[in-house]
Amino acid sequence: MSSGLIAVTIGWIGRHTPPGAGVDGRDAAVMDIAQDLLLRDLHGRGSLDELVF
């Protein structure tokens, strides 16, 4: 059984960071990953079933 924990690796952040973006790009990548994980969790709980974006 999975614990549900997710490890955000440097490679994962690197794939979300635009080339040449520097520290600001890495910060934005971390926020992008966090938003993706939040939306995935909300979807898994059924919290988004009644929402329209």
Side-chain angles (χ1 to χ4, degrees):
M1 182 159 95
S2 173
S3 67
L5 296 177
I6 298 171
V8 177
T9 64
I10 292 172
W12 194 1
I13 294 169
R15 285 190 300 275
H16 279 76
T17 304
V23 173
D24 290 335
R26 285 191 299 273
D27 289 346
V30 170
M31 290 300 296
D32 183 50
I33 293 168
Q35 290 171 359
D36 290 348
L37 294 172
L38 174 63
L39 289 172
R40 184 176 84 170
D41 184 67
L42 291 173
H43 173 72
R45 295 170 185 255
S47 299
L48 301 178
D49 292 347
E50 303 297 323
L51 297 177
V52 176
F53 287 91

